[in-house]
């Protein structure tokens, strides 16, 4: 058993608490990882807020991390102690019907136990003050050591800086893949990206890589416009600057609508606007943001009857074990940006400040 520091969420709506936790050794087909770096994501904050129907407490959050394998359980063959890895919240077992289907990346092998905050055998590897602590998204990267299933880990280039590539564990990969894999953006097309946080910026990067000729960024926070333009947005607009609905503004700007639109916020009203900003006959809108529990999307069916397509994406459609190492290699070869997404680097014990910066849009 390893004793180490972790940021524990004891209950919903409270700041994370720094605790000494015990991390049990990995069982069969499990891997124990020394986490070197972790990023914060709105999904962690969503669960911490109490709005997540799958949220269980007490829990160690975090799902964008990078680390070094410390030890492996029986039967683990893909990684060994000392390997550099990224934990994966969407695993890839290679055996279930989802893994065998090229149209999806949603491996279901450990979905049920993962959703309950437990390892595949139905137990936890974390204890604190004599209490069992739940796992989060199969990763729990807000701990100096964590245990994950062997199908939930990608071995990457040992030379990759973990304080940067940890972001490929969720946000950047999600946005980038939404453009390339889910929307399949075509050269010369016009795109609109709603929400210019890390995921939105990654969508812009994906649209640019795919050869889009015009990318329009949309956000209420104009402080985000300069960064979006660095990533490839031709222009940025705020819905607050117009009297009419933003979809009408975009239709006027683009002679009838955009070819592709992306919702990167998790707001059902914006999801509707993104669909309705698409061009009649061929426009495709991708939902990337995660909406609150119980919320529903709506539009007039005529929007779809007249040729628009509404899609969703999880982790950008990447088969995780296969593709995360390739994304890391693309970063190392300077084919994709990662460093540019990092605004602040804080010590682990300042994690609550990191969440405050994220909520402030900074």
């Amino acid at each position: 058993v390893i004793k180490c520091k972790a940021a524990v969420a004891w209950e919903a709506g409270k700041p994370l608490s720094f605790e000494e936790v015990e991390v049990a050794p990995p069982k069969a087909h499990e891997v124990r990882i020394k986490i070197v770096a972790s990023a914060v994501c709105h999904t962690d904050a969503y669960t911490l807020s109490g709005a997540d129907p799958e949220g269980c407490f007490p829990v160690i959050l975090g799902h964008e991390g990078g680390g070094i394998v410390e030890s492996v359980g029986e039967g683990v063959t893909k990684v060994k102690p000392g390997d550099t890895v990224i934990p994966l919240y969407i695993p890839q077992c290679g055996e279930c019907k989802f893994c065998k289907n090229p149209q999806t990346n949603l491996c279901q092998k450990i979905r049920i136990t993962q959703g309950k905050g437990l390892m595949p055998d139905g137990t936890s590897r974390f204890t604190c003050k004599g209490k069992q602590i739940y796992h989060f998204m199969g990763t729990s990267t807000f701990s100096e050591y964590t245990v994950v299933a062997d199908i939930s880990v990608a071995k990457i280039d040992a030379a990759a800086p973990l304080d940067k590539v940890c972001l490929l564990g969720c946000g950047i990969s999600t946005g980038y893949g939404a453009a390339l894999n889910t929307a399949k953006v075509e050269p010369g097309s016009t795109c609109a990206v709603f929400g210019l946080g890390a995921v939105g910026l990654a969508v812009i990067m994906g649209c640019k890589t795919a050869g889009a000729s015009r990318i329009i960024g949309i956000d209420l926070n104009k402080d985000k416009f300069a960064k979006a333009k660095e990533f490839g947005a031709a222009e940025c607009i705020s819905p607050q600057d117009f009297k009419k609905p933003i979809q009408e503004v975009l239709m006027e700007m683009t002679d009838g609508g955009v070819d592709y639109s992306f919702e990167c916020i998790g707001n059902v009203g914006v999801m509707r606007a993104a669909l309705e900003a698409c061009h009649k006959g061929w426009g495709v809108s991708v939902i990337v943001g995660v909406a609150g529990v119980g919320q529903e999307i709506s539009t007039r069916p005529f929007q779809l009857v007249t040729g628009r397509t509404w899609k969703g994406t999880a982790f950008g459609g990447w088969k995780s074990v296969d593709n995360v190492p390739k994304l890391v290699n693309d970063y190392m070869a300077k084919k994709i940006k990662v460093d540019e997404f990092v605004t602040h680097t804080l010590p682990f014990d300042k994690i609550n400040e990191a969440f405050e910066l994220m909520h402030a849009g900074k």
Side-chain angles (χ1 to χ4, degrees):
V1 174
I2 288 177
K3 288 186 177 179
C4 68
K5 286 272 187 279
V8 177
W10 288 107
E11 55 184 305
K14 296 274 168 69
L16 301 176
S17 172
F18 260 81
E19 306 285 357
E20 183 179 78
V21 298
E22 289 94 44
V23 185
K27 294 189 183 178
H29 293 288
E30 295 177 3
V31 179
R32 188 159 60 180
I33 301 167
K34 177 180 169 55
I35 295 290
V36 174
S38 186
V40 295
C41 171
H42 278 283
T43 309
D44 303 304
Y46 168 65
T47 298
L48 186 58
S49 75
D52 181 356
E54 277 196 345
C56 6
F57 296 89
V59 64
I60 296 173
L61 299 170
H63 65 283
E64 290 186 338
I68 309 293
V69 175
E70 177 272 332
S71 59
V72 298
E74 193 188 331
V76 175
T77 56
K78 299 252 175 81
V79 294
K80 61 186 187 303
D83 283 349
T84 304
V85 294
I86 290 178
L88 307 167
Y89 70 90
I90 293 182
Q92 186 187 350
C93 71
E95 294 163 1
C96 70
K97 66 180 179 183
F98 288 81
C99 281
K100 287 179 172 170
N101 189 321
Q103 295 181 66
T104 183
N105 61 333
L106 296 175
C107 173
Q108 297 295 294
K109 182 84 178 270
I110 59 173
R111 179 75 198 95
I112 291 168
T113 48
Q114 182 172 315
K116 290 178 180 165
L118 300 167
M119 293 300 289
D121 72 345
T123 63
S124 167
R125 300 292 161 268
F126 297 121
T127 42
C128 181
K129 298 176 179 171
K131 285 191 178 146
Q132 170 184 282
I133 307 291
Y134 288 107
H135 294 251
F136 177 66
M137 289 175 75
T139 53
S140 290
T141 62
F142 294 169
S143 174
E144 290 177 330
Y145 286 85
T146 190
V147 179
V148 304
D150 62 353
I151 59 172
S152 303
V153 64
K155 180 182 170 181
I156 62 162
D157 182 346
L162 289 170
D163 61 332
K164 306 292 193 296
V165 297
C166 63
L167 287 166
L168 292 169
C170 177
I172 297 178
S173 304
T174 296
Y176 190 59
L180 295 177
N181 302 328
T182 310
K184 297 185 166 65
V185 171
E186 293 183 310
S189 56
T190 300
C191 303
V193 180
F194 292 77
L196 301 174
V199 175
L201 293 175
V203 169
I204 292 173
M205 181 167 74
C207 292
K208 193 89 181 148
T209 299
S213 60
R214 186 181 181 193
I215 302 165
I216 303 165
I218 301 109
D219 203 298
L220 295 172
N221 181 352
K222 293 186 179 177
D223 293 342
K224 294 187 179 276
F225 290 0
K227 194 75 157 173
K229 286 177 178 169
E230 275 175 46
F231 274 81
E235 61 235 279
C236 295
I237 56 176
S238 166
Q240 285 172 327
D241 290 346
F242 302 93
K243 295 233 172 19
K244 59 181 77 165
I246 194 68
Q247 51 267 56
E248 289 180 26
V249 174
L250 285 160
M251 287 176 82
E252 285 173 13
M253 285 173 68
T254 57
D255 185 27
V258 298
D259 302 311
Y260 302 96
S261 70
F262 301 85
E263 198 278 355
C264 308
I265 302 158
N267 178 311
V268 293
V270 178
M271 290 172 189
R272 177 174 190 158
L275 175 79
E276 295 178 0
C278 282
H279 203 288
K280 185 184 201 170
W282 63 77
V284 174
S285 187
V286 180
I287 293 173
V288 192
V290 177
V293 61
Q295 296 189 339
E296 297 183 350
I297 49 173
S298 62
T299 190
R300 292 193 312 285
F302 193 67
Q303 291 285 334
L304 301 176
V305 171
T306 50
R308 292 170 194 82
T309 304
W310 220 344
K311 303 178 87 166
T313 190
F315 196 54
W318 301 107
K319 299 260 191 193
S320 59
V321 174
D322 291 344
N323 288 292
V324 168
K326 291 177 184 170
L327 289 165
V328 170
N329 293 344
D330 282 350
Y331 159 69
M332 299 296 278
K334 297 192 163 46
K335 288 178 188 168
I336 59 172
K337 291 181 163 86
V338 174
D339 298 13
E340 293 81 355
F341 286 87
V342 180
T343 55
H344 300 75
T345 304
L346 301 171
F348 186 25
D349 59 7
K350 296 273 187 0
I351 193 162
N352 286 310
E353 285 180 34
F355 277 101
E356 285 163 22
L357 286 163
M358 182 175 71
H359 287 306
K362 295 176 178 171

